[in-house]
Amino acid sequence: MSAALRTEGLAKAFTLHLQGGVRIPVLGGVDLAVHPGECVALWGPSGAGKSTLMRCLYGNYGAGAGRILLRHRGAEMDLATAEPRAVIAARRETIGYVSQFLRVIPRVATRDIVAEPMIARGMAREEALARATALLHRLNLPERLHGLPPATFSGGEQQRVNLARGFAPGYPVLLLDEPTASLDAANRAVVIAMINEAKAAGAAIIGIFHDAEVRGAVADRLFDVLPHQDAA
Amino acid sequence: MLTAEGLTLHFGVIPALVDVAIEVAEGEVVAIVGESGSGKTTLLRVLSGLMAPDAGSVRWLGADVHAMGEAARRRLMRTDWGFVHQNPRDGLRLNVSAGGNVGERLMAVGARHYGNIRAQAIEWLARVEVDATRIDDLPRTFSGGMQQRLQIARTLVTNPRLVFMDEPTGGLDVSVQARLLDLIRTLSRELGLSVLIVTHDIAAARLLADRILVMRRGRVVEQGLTDRVLDDPQHPYTQLLVSSVLAA
């Protein structure tokens, strides 16, 4: 079966113009492939570029070189060279990303934040809100919080809102950056179950899991991300 | 829908626009950011036909905006287009009631039935969260934030396809800004509006825009997907702009 997401010779460096144009190479020659129903854990020391790789895969960082091939609408598209409109369409339909931090939208209620990507994909509003509510309950977020904007929530509560929003649409490809970082054991177990259900439903998942228990429970294999050798 | 190429304009020896190209597709929200004097407001004025360029073209659905003549351009401004000014007093008639401000745009496109016009005005006041009991009050009795919301209602009541916005949250309290941004965001999505918004507020651009153009000294120095330009800026000026913002 063909990969849901793969990279060919992906490289990324940052040029800091405000620091005298110093160039920091982070990724070089990354060849990664993830298939439907599979979970790959990025593995490597802190600072090796795992999060940078994730952001490149989502199109949030531009690729310096190489290709990022996403299976979208039945064909492969290269996220490294795609037009902004095409990247936006791929994010709406095919690829989801759960970061460590929730970017709060002023005044928008938690329930609506979770429902939004489902509505964008064409789900009826009532159905999307019902699914959002069910997921928030599953992640042990009490009903009284569903109608409030998450700006004042604790870190763990915000992360669960983020998780609900990321898992709700059922993207074919899902990127998870430390999805359980600030969760207690009960919620960690919920997230493990959600990841395994997404895999069973055919999702291709790439994650950064520092928690060995979580990694052991969901990852099919590890992908080494090594610190760039020719740095400095 | 809107396509511009090679736009160049000088104010004396000062280059206000240098070979600027821009495109806005249906349902797309595009932000133009840059500091004061970068040419972003001038660009908006040229794109909306308020000011003629020295060189270059602006096309709306294929028709040359600067060649179409004053009457056709005014008609466009009343129908397919809307313009939200930074200062609501530039977009409102202050000696006409709030309901009249909204109804007037409808009458300009041919609405004549008073009851329908008033009903639509009431509906739009509700959508922009202005209390319906204020419908007969003059806008000068409104706060700045209310005036801006009234201007948005007046602009959107005729169902334009493209709305130009020039610093729509400038000069408002932060709490009011958030409310207005949320309103613009919701309306543009619900109505499938195309929006071209000029702002120096990076956080507002991130919240609203699909794409972003960074202007400096009349040139577009960088453009692309909003979150990529803001999180992985390539041009020295964009890096400076992004790093100068307090936790956007």
Side-chain angles (χ1 to χ4, degrees):
Chain A
M1 191 187 256
S2 63
L5 178 66
R6 65 192 174 95
T7 66
E8 288 176 354
L10 177 63
K12 178 64 187 169
F14 295 96
T15 303
L16 309 180
H17 292 288
L18 305 181
Q19 273 77 40
V22 60
R23 188 172 175 280
I24 303 174
V26 180
L27 302 172
V30 175
D31 296 308
L32 165 70
V34 193
H35 293 83
E38 182 184 40
C39 175
V40 174
L42 302 185
W43 180 249
S46 193
K50 299 186 294 295
S51 288
T52 296
L53 174 55
M54 292 285 252
R55 283 169 172 259
C56 286
L57 295 176
Y58 194 59
N60 177 231
Y61 286 173
R67 305 206 292 168
I68 302 167
L69 299 164
L70 174 70
R71 183 153 286 280
H72 168 65
R73 294 183 183 167
E76 276 193 333
M77 69 177 282
D78 185 357
L79 283 173
T81 56
E83 289 289 315
R85 263 167 257 161
V87 176
I88 289 169
R91 288 177 177 179
R92 184 170 57 235
E93 296 165 29
T94 306
I95 185 166
Y97 172 50
V98 179
S99 69
Q100 293 183 60
F101 305 101
L102 177 66
R103 197 172 277 286
V104 176
I105 305 162
R107 299 211 322 148
V108 179
T110 295
R111 191 188 289 119
D112 292 309
I113 287 176
V114 176
E116 188 178 43
M118 293 185 276
I119 294 169
R121 293 168 121 228
M123 189 184 278
R125 190 178 158 75
E126 295 305 310
E127 192 185 347
L129 288 173
R131 182 163 162 74
T133 303
L135 262 171
L136 290 168
H137 273 304
R138 187 172 179 196
L139 285 157
N140 301 307
L141 225 70
E143 182 109 32
R144 65 188 158 78
L145 297 181
H146 297 187
L148 303 176
T152 56
F153 291 7
S154 74
E157 286 166 344
Q158 291 198 0
Q159 187 169 26
R160 281 178 276 154
V161 176
N162 228 0
L163 282 160
R165 181 179 159 96
F167 275 89
Y171 297 109
V173 178
L174 197 52
L175 310 172
L176 305 172
D177 191 346
E178 291 268 26
T180 58
S182 44
L183 301 187
D184 59 24
N187 284 307
R188 215 156 44 225
V190 173
V191 174
I192 289 171
M194 283 168 59
I195 292 172
N196 284 325
E197 285 165 27
K199 280 169 63 181
I205 295 174
I206 300 176
I208 301 172
F209 310 100
H210 280 152
D211 185 316
E213 181 202 331
V214 176
R215 191 170 59 239
V218 301
D220 297 295
R221 61 192 168 88
L222 302 179
F223 180 86
D224 289 320
V225 180
L226 302 171
H228 207 275
Q229 292 308 314
D230 61 18
Chain B
M1 293 204 294
L2 184 78
T3 320
E5 287 170 345
L7 293 178
T8 299
L9 178 63
H10 285 77
F11 295 138
V13 294
I14 301 162
L17 296 176
V18 183
D19 195 22
V20 173
I22 185 172
E23 206 185 316
V24 183
E26 191 162 10
E28 194 176 34
V29 180
V30 179
I32 304 169
V33 302
E35 63 199 11
S36 307
S38 60
K40 50 193 199 307
T41 293
T42 301
L43 176 59
L44 202 65
R45 293 177 65 83
V46 169
L47 291 172
S48 59
L50 293 173
M51 199 184 268
D54 295 340
S57 69
V58 180
R59 292 179 179 278
W60 169 252
L61 304 174
D64 189 326
V65 170
H66 291 281
M68 66 175 48
E70 190 58 26
R73 199 153 59 233
R74 278 177 185 277
R75 172 151 185 82
L76 201 54
M77 214 33 132
R78 281 200 307 268
T79 54
D80 279 1
W81 289 0
F83 201 111
V84 174
H85 298 266
Q86 173 172 9
N87 187 336
R89 290 173 202 87
D90 294 336
L92 293 173
R93 293 223 295 159
L94 296 179
N95 54 350
V96 173
S97 71
N101 264 286
V102 178
E104 192 179 54
R105 274 266 298 183
L106 282 172
M107 287 166 71
V109 294
R112 288 293 174 264
H113 187 284
Y114 177 78
N116 287 348
I117 292 171
R118 190 167 170 92
Q120 282 201 57
I122 289 171
E123 186 197 323
W124 267 97
L125 290 180
R127 287 184 92 151
V128 299
E129 303 176 35
V130 171
D131 192 337
T133 61
R134 304 292 302 269
I135 187 168
D136 295 317
D137 293 350
L138 295 179
R140 95 163 68 87
T141 66
F142 287 11
S143 69
M146 277 174 79
Q147 288 181 354
Q148 196 56 293
R149 281 178 275 135
L150 181 62
Q151 190 191 184
I152 288 173
R154 174 183 162 94
T155 306
L156 296 185
V157 68
T158 51
N159 293 315
R161 299 167 71 181
L162 171 65
V163 179
F164 300 93
M165 297 189 178
D166 186 8
E167 301 275 10
T169 59
L172 299 175
D173 287 343
V174 176
S175 60
V176 181
Q177 281 184 19
R179 187 174 189 185
L180 200 66
L181 289 174
D182 180 39
L183 176 72
I184 294 169
R185 184 174 157 275
T186 307
L187 290 175
S188 67
R189 289 192 186 183
E190 281 177 2
L191 307 173
L193 272 182
S194 300
V195 179
L196 188 60
I197 183 169
V198 158
T199 180
H200 64 266
D201 183 344
I202 304 276
R206 186 192 282 277
L207 189 66
L208 294 175
D210 300 314
R211 275 196 302 128
I212 197 167
L213 284 84
V214 182
M215 286 193 75
R216 188 192 190 207
R217 294 183 188 158
R219 293 174 193 272
V220 175
V221 297
E222 184 164 359
Q223 61 175 306
L225 194 64
T226 299
D227 62 274
R228 191 182 300 179
V229 170
L230 298 182
D231 291 338
D232 186 17
Q234 303 296 311
H235 191 276
Y237 178 68
T238 316
Q239 293 191 353
L240 176 67
L241 203 64
V242 170
S243 66
S244 307
V245 175
L246 298 169

